[in-house]
Amino acid sequence: MNRENASIFLLSVAIIGFQLAIINLISYGQWYHFAYLAVSVAMLGFGSSGVILAVWPKLGQKYASKLISRLPVITGLLMLSSPLLIGIPGIRFDTLLVFTSKFEAAKLLLTCFILFLPFLSGAMVLGLFFIIRSNSIPILYAWNLAGSAVGGVLIIALSRYLSVANLASSFGLMAIVAGFFLAKSSKMKLAITTVGLAGCLLLFFQPKVPFKSEFKPLSKTLLIPDSRVIHTASTPQGTFEMVSSGSLRQASGLSLSYFGRVPLVDMAFLNAQDYAAFEKALADTAFYHQNLFSFPYWLFHSPEVLMLQPNSTFLTTQAGLLGSEEITIVEPLRPVADRLAAYPWFDERVSVVTAYPREYLINEQRLWHAIVFPSVGSFGGAGLSALKEEYLFTTESLVKAYHLLTPEGLLVFSTFMDNPPRNSLKLISLVAESARDLGLKPSEYMLAMRNWNTLLVLLKRNVFENTERDMAFNFALENGFDMVIPAPLEELNMMPDSTFQHLANQMICDDPSKGVVDYPFSLEPPTDNSPFFSKFLRMGKFRSYLSWMGADGVPFLELGYFIVWVSLAVCLLLALIAIAFPMLISVANRSFNAPVWFYFACLGLGFMLVEISLIQRTILVVGNPIMSSAVIISTMLCFSAVGSYLSSFIYIRRGMLLAILGIALLTSVLIPLGDRINLYIVGLPIYTRVVTLVLLIAPLALLMGMLFPLGMRYLHTFATNQIPVAWGVNGFFSVLAAPVATILAVEFGFSIAFASGAALYMACLPIVLLMQRKARGQTG
Amino acid sequence: MRRLLLPFMLMIPVKLALAQASDEYVSRRMNMVLTQITQRGVVHRATIKAMETVPRHLFVPNSYRNSAYEDRPLPIGYGQTISQPYIVAYMTELMKPSPEMIALEIGTGSGYQAAVLAEIVKHVYTIEIVPQLGSSAEKTLRKLDYSNVTTRIADGYHGWPEKGPFDIIVVTAAADHIPPPLIEQLKEGGRMIIPVGSPFLVQQLMLVEKKGGKVKTRSLIPVRFVPFTRAEE
């Protein structure tokens, strides 16, 4: 490895690492939906670097070596400072205000611009290398991709040891080291070393906890006078914080006829969002009895209970007090699992397993009397969870859980009642559809009841006996709850109208779609292909939403969904300003080469569509989004690097044809068989799963990685002046790809998003044939 | 003599401007009641009168005074908001307040809801957990001579047992359960209003009634307590 290649490698590690760290930072301070924006901003940096080199070709000729030696250090400094800058009052934006204040939207744009600069600077270095060493682009591209692959893995390792604020800045130091490798004089090396040491000091003095929105639950909790953070930990899933206070309590499902004491809780937060409650002391027994969640225990003697990611110790304490013989808690977040394992009010009947619930279900063989699912949907509505993949709440997941029940066993679900009903009806719809998939009549196997704000839904392995239904009616009556399935005789907790009960009745009918077609919200049961439980908006119903909420209110109906659209709008605006317009100006002096533009546009959009849909789809196989991102990003980039390297040994047009036909062949196998393959490998040990995934994706990534450098080689031979433009076009469409991929996945499912990406690669085929003809003409 | 009069002469335009501004706010307030409250179906006379009387602009931060009568909630700092006028009127009407009643408010916030209730009922007891908000609201209410409002900085969860039972309880912060002490402190036949759901997105208002020792709830319209803009730091 020579110094230049080493520098490209390190800079690429820094760029991808910084990008992923920024996603973590924004997820903490704002909400994770802006992750798409971070990806797009990174792509914008790459696209506009190409444009700058196209508009000012002198940069690539006259000043290239000067810039190459200085820009990595500048990149490092920008990476070190931008996380601090975006938290400064006056610059920092707030998600919840973006939809209502133009000023706030301007601050969002400013934040994007600040984050864009390190990517622009870093990408400029890569672009300049591509220009001055255009004869060895495949090799350079290979080092670039290999570095990116390493960066994807490194962030997972570092996130355990560094705080969310330091994580982003630390990659700046790596970029400075990349600059050190390129420094020619000892004077320059000394200067860079000084800058690096100053950067280390900055890391040391940087606040460990970055800025967070004042509207995040943690911010509001810390306003309570005696609240304080008692424990903080960095985890791959985000920042964990434990808050203690003399005023925090949690008691969902509590009967209004309970007048006793409600115990205080310590609250666990993940990325400043409330995650789990830990009771500080036990309440009196009545507290655990006079609660919706106690009903399942009326049906058993000494049940064995599986609790999937319970959001409160209350549920486990309750299960223990009401006679459970054995309780196993499945908790994915390590600090929470550790705390649960050491929780003083649990006895030897309780055991804790650190695992993702869906992953656990897939590999579980044992039968249980009750499997308790976590409360689904955010409190009071879909809101910000709109685009969160909930693989635990899909028909496939419920079917699997059903098969883990003893003959008298129960699946237990809950959600908050909302108005207009969305979460509550979606949960009933999901359980009913799963029952139908199992060949069961929902009305015979389901039971549901509610209080004023919580809904409890049960699915039994065998038919609910009449005596059990009578028990349910009596339990409801005693505690002031209302039955939902079967329908109530009289409502104690009145709804504004009969919509909820009417639709709940429809859901458990043989033909559930009959009554819900006119309902303005989507109640389609989520599946593994589209696991978005809290996605309720229907494209065709916007008029209804507008008349109900008004134009300024609609975004708040399902904020997460609108954030992605805002991200797309912001990305488009930035891409037009930073890439399209300057490029059009530069093209005025060059020949307009539509096929070349089309080819690189397809590659830009196609690669990201395939990559993002694979990340989302693989969450199910490897158990969690972090692992999925690491496996897919690293595999895609690593094997694309190999493809890029191999492409230097084959003829351009033959290589292009081979790659496109290979991609067509592989995707035609992967699309129809993907689900089956996933379900087959999901039961294997984790290492086997990862290796199988890598083997499955590697050939596709390898072929995809060949097309970009082959295209560049073609331009190097036949249209050198188009190289920066191609880089820019590719960047422009890569910028839009992240939000586009998400919107496609949410609206049509992962399979369609993946197929669209593959189709874009195939759309390059006529262009390649055209290039072939043109090349023959020129050489002939 | 001229020297003595000069300060007074200088004050005249200031006073005039203040009077003019005050007139301007009155006219905006009347317009707010007409377009946002009565036209949307609020008919309770005492509520309408209270909404016409309470100077809402004095309950918002100075930088938002101009927007005080607009049809939206406004930020008051500390992640809190003053509800939009219609919501305040709607909640007040739902509580059916009358002059002999005693009310308890959990979450004083700006103090505006307490002031509106104080125009109608005998006495309002209001509790705020965030000290800075509580002190600021107390100051505003004192300045406006609301002698029938008593404020306290404490955890509202426990209510105010020594002053109860209450005819009306307003809980302005969303919670996952209704605190049992508040149900206990609600008078037989009394009414409690509580918003349910995320404070930033869509919420529903819940009416809790205590009749014959039994507690019944009724879910009302979905509302938004959305902070539309925020004071710049």
Coordinates of all heavy atoms in Angstrom, one line a residue, chain A residues 76-114:
Chain A
G76 N -10.8 16.9 8.2 CA -10.7 16.5 9.6 C -11.2 17.6 10.5 O -12.0 17.4 11.5
L77 N -10.7 18.9 10.3 CA -11.2 20.0 11.1 C -12.7 20.2 11.0 O -13.3 20.5 12.1 CB -10.4 21.3 10.7 CG -8.9 21.3 11.1 CD1 -8.2 22.5 10.5 CD2 -8.7 21.3 12.6
L78 N -13.2 20.1 9.8 CA -14.7 20.3 9.7 C -15.4 19.2 10.4 O -16.5 19.4 11.0 CB -15.0 20.3 8.2 CG -14.6 21.5 7.4 CD1 -14.7 21.3 5.9 CD2 -15.4 22.7 7.8
M79 N -14.9 18.0 10.4 CA -15.6 16.9 11.1 C -15.5 17.1 12.6 O -16.4 16.7 13.3 CB -14.9 15.5 10.7 CG -15.3 15.0 9.3 SD -14.4 13.4 9.0 CE -15.0 13.1 7.4
L80 N -14.4 17.6 13.0 CA -14.2 17.9 14.5 C -15.2 19.0 14.9 O -15.7 18.9 16.0 CB -12.8 18.3 14.8 CG -11.8 17.2 15.0 CD1 -10.4 17.8 14.8 CD2 -12.0 16.5 16.3
S81 N -15.4 20.0 14.1 CA -16.1 21.2 14.6 C -17.6 21.1 14.2 O -18.4 21.7 15.0 CB -15.5 22.4 13.9 OG -15.5 22.3 12.5
S82 N -18.0 20.4 13.2 CA -19.4 20.5 12.8 C -20.4 20.0 13.8 O -21.5 20.5 14.0 CB -19.6 19.9 11.4 OG -19.1 18.6 11.3
P83 N -20.1 18.9 14.5 CA -21.0 18.4 15.6 C -21.3 19.5 16.6 O -22.3 19.6 17.2 CB -20.4 17.2 16.2 CG -19.4 16.7 15.1 CD -18.9 17.9 14.4
L84 N -20.2 20.3 16.9 CA -20.4 21.4 17.9 C -21.2 22.5 17.3 O -22.1 23.1 17.9 CB -19.0 21.9 18.3 CG -18.2 21.0 19.2 CD1 -16.8 21.6 19.3 CD2 -18.8 20.9 20.6
L85 N -20.9 22.8 16.0 CA -21.6 24.0 15.4 C -23.1 23.8 15.3 O -23.8 24.7 15.5 CB -21.0 24.2 14.0 CG -19.7 25.0 13.8 CD1 -19.2 24.9 12.4 CD2 -19.9 26.4 14.3
I86 N -23.5 22.5 14.9 CA -24.9 22.3 14.7 C -25.7 22.4 16.1 O -26.9 22.4 16.0 CB -25.3 21.0 13.9 CG1 -24.7 19.8 14.7 CG2 -24.7 21.1 12.5 CD1 -25.3 18.5 14.1
G87 N -25.0 22.4 17.2 CA -25.7 22.5 18.5 C -25.8 23.9 19.0 O -26.4 24.1 20.1
I88 N -25.2 24.9 18.3 CA -25.1 26.2 18.8 C -26.5 26.9 18.7 O -27.2 26.8 17.7 CB -24.1 27.1 18.0 CG1 -22.7 26.6 18.3 CG2 -24.2 28.6 18.2 CD1 -21.6 27.2 17.5
P89 N -26.9 27.6 19.8 CA -28.2 28.3 19.7 C -28.2 29.2 18.5 O -27.2 29.9 18.2 CB -28.3 29.0 21.0 CG -27.4 28.3 21.9 CD -26.3 27.8 21.1
G90 N -29.3 29.3 17.8 CA -29.4 30.1 16.6 C -29.2 29.3 15.3 O -29.6 29.7 14.3
I91 N -28.4 28.2 15.5 CA -28.2 27.3 14.3 C -29.0 26.1 14.5 O -29.6 25.6 13.5 CB -26.7 27.0 14.2 CG1 -25.9 28.2 13.9 CG2 -26.5 25.9 13.1 CD1 -24.4 27.9 13.8
R92 N -29.1 25.5 15.7 CA -29.8 24.2 15.9 C -31.2 24.3 15.6 O -31.9 25.3 15.9 CB -29.5 23.7 17.3 CG -30.1 24.5 18.4 CD -29.6 24.1 19.7 NE -30.2 24.8 20.8 CZ -29.7 24.9 22.0 NH1 -28.5 24.4 22.2 NH2 -30.3 25.5 22.9
F93 N -31.7 23.3 14.9 CA -33.1 23.3 14.5 C -33.9 22.3 15.4 O -33.3 21.5 16.1 CB -33.3 22.9 13.1 CG -33.1 21.4 12.8 CD1 -34.1 20.5 12.7 CD2 -31.8 20.9 12.7 CE1 -33.9 19.2 12.5 CE2 -31.6 19.6 12.4 CZ -32.6 18.7 12.3
D94 N -35.2 22.4 15.4 CA -36.0 21.5 16.1 C -37.1 20.9 15.2 O -37.8 21.6 14.6 CB -36.7 22.2 17.3 CG -37.1 21.3 18.4 OD1 -37.9 20.3 18.1 OD2 -36.6 21.4 19.5
T95 N -37.0 19.5 15.2 CA -37.9 18.8 14.3 C -39.3 19.2 14.4 O -40.0 19.4 13.3 CB -37.9 17.3 14.7 OG1 -36.5 16.9 14.8 CG2 -38.6 16.4 13.7
L96 N -39.9 19.4 15.6 CA -41.3 19.7 15.7 C -41.7 21.1 15.3 O -42.8 21.4 15.1 CB -41.7 19.5 17.2 CG -41.7 18.0 17.6 CD1 -41.6 17.9 19.1 CD2 -42.9 17.3 17.1
L97 N -40.7 21.9 15.1 CA -41.0 23.3 14.6 C -40.8 23.5 13.2 O -41.2 24.5 12.6 CB -40.2 24.3 15.5 CG -40.3 24.2 17.0 CD1 -39.4 25.1 17.7 CD2 -41.7 24.4 17.4
V98 N -40.1 22.5 12.5 CA -39.7 22.7 11.1 C -41.0 22.9 10.3 O -41.0 23.6 9.3 CB -38.9 21.5 10.6 CG1 -38.9 21.4 9.1 CG2 -37.5 21.5 11.2
F99 N -42.1 22.2 10.6 CA -43.3 22.2 9.8 C -44.1 23.5 10.0 O -45.1 23.8 9.3 CB -44.2 21.0 10.1 CG -43.5 19.7 9.7 CD1 -42.8 19.0 10.6 CD2 -43.6 19.3 8.5 CE1 -42.2 17.9 10.3 CE2 -43.0 18.1 8.1 CZ -42.3 17.4 9.0
T100 N -43.7 24.3 11.0 CA -44.6 25.5 11.3 C -43.8 26.8 11.3 O -44.5 27.8 11.3 CB -45.1 25.3 12.8 OG1 -44.1 25.1 13.6 CG2 -46.1 24.2 12.8
S101 N -42.5 26.7 11.2 CA -41.8 28.0 11.2 C -40.8 28.0 10.0 O -39.9 27.1 10.0 CB -41.1 28.2 12.5 OG -40.0 29.1 12.4
K102 N -40.9 29.0 9.2 CA -39.9 29.1 8.1 C -38.5 29.3 8.6 O -37.5 28.8 8.0 CB -40.3 30.3 7.2 CG -41.5 30.0 6.3 CD -41.9 31.3 5.5 CE -43.2 31.1 4.9 NZ -43.9 32.3 4.6
F103 N -38.4 30.0 9.7 CA -37.1 30.3 10.3 C -36.4 29.0 10.7 O -35.3 28.8 10.5 CB -37.3 31.2 11.5 CG -36.1 31.8 12.1 CD1 -35.2 32.5 11.3 CD2 -35.7 31.5 13.4 CE1 -34.1 33.1 11.8 CE2 -34.5 32.1 13.9 CZ -33.7 32.8 13.1
E104 N -37.3 28.1 11.3 CA -36.8 26.8 11.7 C -36.3 25.9 10.5 O -35.3 25.2 10.5 CB -37.9 26.1 12.5 CG -37.4 25.1 13.6 CD -36.7 25.8 14.7 OE1 -36.9 27.0 15.0 OE2 -35.8 25.1 15.3
A105 N -37.1 26.1 9.4 CA -36.7 25.3 8.2 C -35.4 25.8 7.6 O -34.6 25.1 7.2 CB -37.8 25.5 7.1
A106 N -35.2 27.2 7.8 CA -33.9 27.7 7.3 C -32.8 27.2 8.2 O -31.7 26.9 7.7 CB -34.0 29.3 7.4
K107 N -33.0 27.0 9.5 CA -32.0 26.5 10.3 C -31.7 25.0 10.0 O -30.5 24.6 10.1 CB -32.4 26.6 11.8 CG -32.4 28.0 12.3 CD -32.3 28.1 13.8 CE -33.6 27.9 14.5 NZ -33.6 28.2 15.9
L108 N -32.7 24.3 9.5 CA -32.5 22.9 9.1 C -31.6 22.9 7.9 O -30.6 22.1 7.8 CB -33.8 22.2 8.8 CG -33.8 20.9 8.1 CD1 -33.1 19.8 8.9 CD2 -35.2 20.4 7.7
L109 N -31.8 23.9 7.0 CA -31.0 24.0 5.8 C -29.5 24.3 6.2 O -28.6 23.8 5.6 CB -31.5 25.0 4.8 CG -32.7 24.6 4.0 CD1 -33.3 25.7 3.2 CD2 -32.3 23.5 3.0
L110 N -29.4 25.2 7.1 CA -28.1 25.6 7.6 C -27.3 24.4 8.2 O -26.1 24.2 8.0 CB -28.2 26.8 8.6 CG -26.9 27.4 9.1 CD1 -26.1 28.0 8.0 CD2 -27.2 28.5 10.1
T111 N -28.1 23.6 9.0 CA -27.5 22.4 9.6 C -27.0 21.5 8.5 O -25.9 21.0 8.6 CB -28.5 21.7 10.5 OG1 -28.9 22.6 11.5 CG2 -28.0 20.5 11.1
C112 N -27.8 21.3 7.5 CA -27.4 20.5 6.4 C -26.2 21.0 5.7 O -25.3 20.2 5.4 CB -28.5 20.4 5.3 SG -29.9 19.4 5.9
F113 N -26.1 22.3 5.6 CA -24.9 22.9 4.9 C -23.7 22.7 5.7 O -22.6 22.3 5.2 CB -25.2 24.4 4.7 CG -24.0 25.1 4.0 CD1 -23.8 24.9 2.7 CD2 -23.2 25.9 4.8 CE1 -22.7 25.5 2.1 CE2 -22.1 26.5 4.1 CZ -21.8 26.3 2.8
I114 N -23.8 22.8 7.0 CA -22.6 22.6 7.9 C -22.1 21.2 7.8 O -20.9 20.9 7.8 CB -23.0 23.0 9.4 CG1 -23.2 24.5 9.5 CG2 -21.9 22.6 10.4 CD1 -23.8 25.0 10.8

